[in-house]
Amino acid sequence: IDACPMPVRVYIMMQQLVSVKYRSNVINTARMGNSHRRLSNARQRAVQASAVNMDQIKGARGQIRSVLEETYANPIFVRLAWHESGSYSDALKNEPWPAAGGATGSIRFKPELGYGANNGLDSALDLLKPVKEAFPEVTWADLIQLASSEAIEHAGGPHIPLRVGRRDAEGSKDCAPDGRLPAAAGPFPDKAANPAEHLRNVFHRMGLNDQDIVVLSGAHTLGRARPERSGFGKESTKYTKDGPGKPGGSSWTVKWLEFDNRYFVEIKEQRDEDLLVLPTDAALFEDEGFKPFAEKYAVDNDAFCADYVTSHLKLSELGSDWLEGGPVSIDA
């Protein structure tokens, strides 16, 4: 360059600068492209992680059925899901999720799991942990509700076309407050004057109605009350002293692992002192608003099962927030 006239040297230097700048732009563009692709891939992975994986859902359902065959866990799976959903407050539905409570998976965290009404539910979660490990893309919120719907059908009840894709609560900060679940007898925490008033206060707070109260109560056809957990029932009865499963407790029906309308029959007739009748049970036939539904279900198992599906689905979605692609029916 030094041997060339000034105009030529300037021209060559300009060309070299352009060449250097061009190569720099190419390198930067390539780097930006790689960075964009990495970001895009990360976003895709995030979307995939938050999407509903129906293969995993189906696998989890199958494993839950195996657990039910081996453990007689039908009643406690139903109770787990109910106590999770039953924490919902419709008055808080416009607050940031999951302030309203409900089917969020928060029951697996303390303090919620340690509330008095949830005594014994840690054993239900323990049964579901291997299912969660085998199918990690199924959220806890979905898994808990799946276990309940499968438990109903496995016990001879109706098929429940559950919808899945629930988002999971992340920790203790997302737990619902204590005191939102129904009590079985007075004095009631909401100062209700009688069991019917208390049931309405609790279930109407969730956005449910009188028919929902009655038909959902019919799920007590499954299971037993244990005095060491709830404070109600006997240590054992002629129907529970030999199991199946862990012996003891008081059942509402003779065949307490079969889902049908026998709960309403037994509550109405109250003919066997070894069968449990709580004040909130008796109220279904004493309250004028509840009684027509209870009378209907006592004589018509098909009507009970059909209406139960509708109310169970409502309960199962209280407070749910949905992942990418959700909700999706398990029958899809």
Side-chain angles (χ1 to χ4, degrees):
I1 292 176
D2 290 339
C4 296
M6 180 61 70
V8 177
R9 288 203 304 269
V10 172
Y11 173 78
I12 294 174
M13 290 174 66
M14 290 177 64
Q15 289 294 93
Q16 289 176 333
L17 286 172
V18 170
S19 178
V20 169
K21 187 175 182 180
Y22 172 77
R23 289 197 302 270
S24 177
N25 287 341
V26 170
I27 292 170
N28 288 337
T29 301
R31 287 174 177 169
M32 290 175 65
N34 290 336
S35 176
H36 177 75
R37 282 192 292 273
R38 285 195 297 270
L39 183 59
S40 178
N41 290 339
R43 285 174 177 162
Q44 287 177 356
R45 287 193 296 272
V47 168
Q48 289 168 357
S50 66
V52 185
N53 187 326
M54 292 307 294
D55 289 336
Q56 292 247 322
I57 292 288
K58 291 174 182 176
R61 289 178 70 192
Q63 191 161 330
I64 288 169
R65 291 171 191 154
S66 297
V67 172
L68 291 168
E69 287 289 332
E70 298 167 3
T71 64
Y72 309 106
N74 307 63
I76 201 167
F77 280 172
V78 174
R79 179 170 168 244
L80 175 66
W82 274 41
H83 283 215
E84 164 109 314
S85 293
S87 67
Y88 179 71
S89 175
D90 196 55
L92 300 176
K93 64 184 177 182
N94 293 324
E95 296 296 316
W97 183 87
T104 68
S106 65
I107 200 169
R108 71 193 195 275
F109 298 118
K110 291 184 177 180
E112 190 170 346
L113 184 58
Y115 298 158
N118 294 334
N119 284 343
L121 291 181
D122 53 339
S123 61
L125 289 169
D126 287 343
L127 290 173
L128 291 177
K129 284 178 181 176
V131 184
K132 175 63 174 173
E133 291 170 1
F135 302 98
E137 292 184 41
V138 180
T139 66
W140 272 106
D142 274 346
L143 191 60
I144 289 168
Q145 297 303 323
L146 275 171
S148 176
S149 61
E150 291 297 323
I152 296 292
E153 186 170 1
H154 179 268
H159 171 69
I160 298 172
L162 196 75
R163 299 200 301 173
V164 293
R166 291 168 187 78
R167 178 181 166 196
D168 260 347
E170 296 178 353
S172 297
K173 63 181 176 58
D174 295 327
C175 286
D178 197 5
R180 288 186 177 178
L181 296 173
F188 297 105
D190 58 348
K191 311 301 182 184
N194 55 65
E197 181 184 344
H198 173 64
L199 288 173
R200 286 194 174 93
N201 288 345
V202 172
F203 282 85
H204 290 185
R205 185 209 69 224
M206 301 180 209
L208 302 178
N209 58 39
D210 281 7
Q211 183 174 14
D212 295 321
I213 293 171
V214 178
V215 73
L216 290 171
S217 295
H220 281 130
T221 193
L222 293 178
R224 303 162 283 177
R226 294 184 178 273
E228 70 272 19
R229 292 180 180 175
S230 66
F232 296 98
K234 301 177 181 180
E235 291 295 329
S236 68
T237 70
K238 60 179 175 283
Y239 303 118
T240 66
K241 63 183 179 66
D242 298 320
K246 182 181 178 181
S250 291
S251 60
W252 285 265
T253 61
V254 175
K255 297 181 178 180
W256 47 268
L257 283 175
E258 295 182 10
F259 190 94
D260 55 26
N261 68 332
R262 294 299 302 178
Y263 166 84
F264 296 102
V265 175
E266 299 297 351
I267 296 301
K268 180 180 180 179
E269 297 181 357
Q270 297 190 33
R271 59 188 176 184
D272 191 333
E273 64 179 14
D274 265 355
L275 293 179
L276 189 62
V277 180
L278 298 169
T280 45
D281 298 318
L284 303 183
F285 285 93
E286 295 168 352
D287 180 83
E288 290 304 313
F290 295 154
K291 187 175 180 179
F293 300 113
E295 293 281 4
K296 173 185 176 182
Y297 299 143
V299 298
D300 192 336
N301 184 59
D302 289 342
F304 164 58
C305 288
D307 290 348
Y308 179 83
V309 169
T310 300
S311 294
H312 184 114
L313 288 172
K314 289 166 66 174
L315 183 69
S316 74
E317 295 187 3
L318 295 179
S320 295
D321 191 40
W322 303 101
L323 299 173
E324 181 88 13
V328 181
S329 171
I330 58 171
D331 294 335

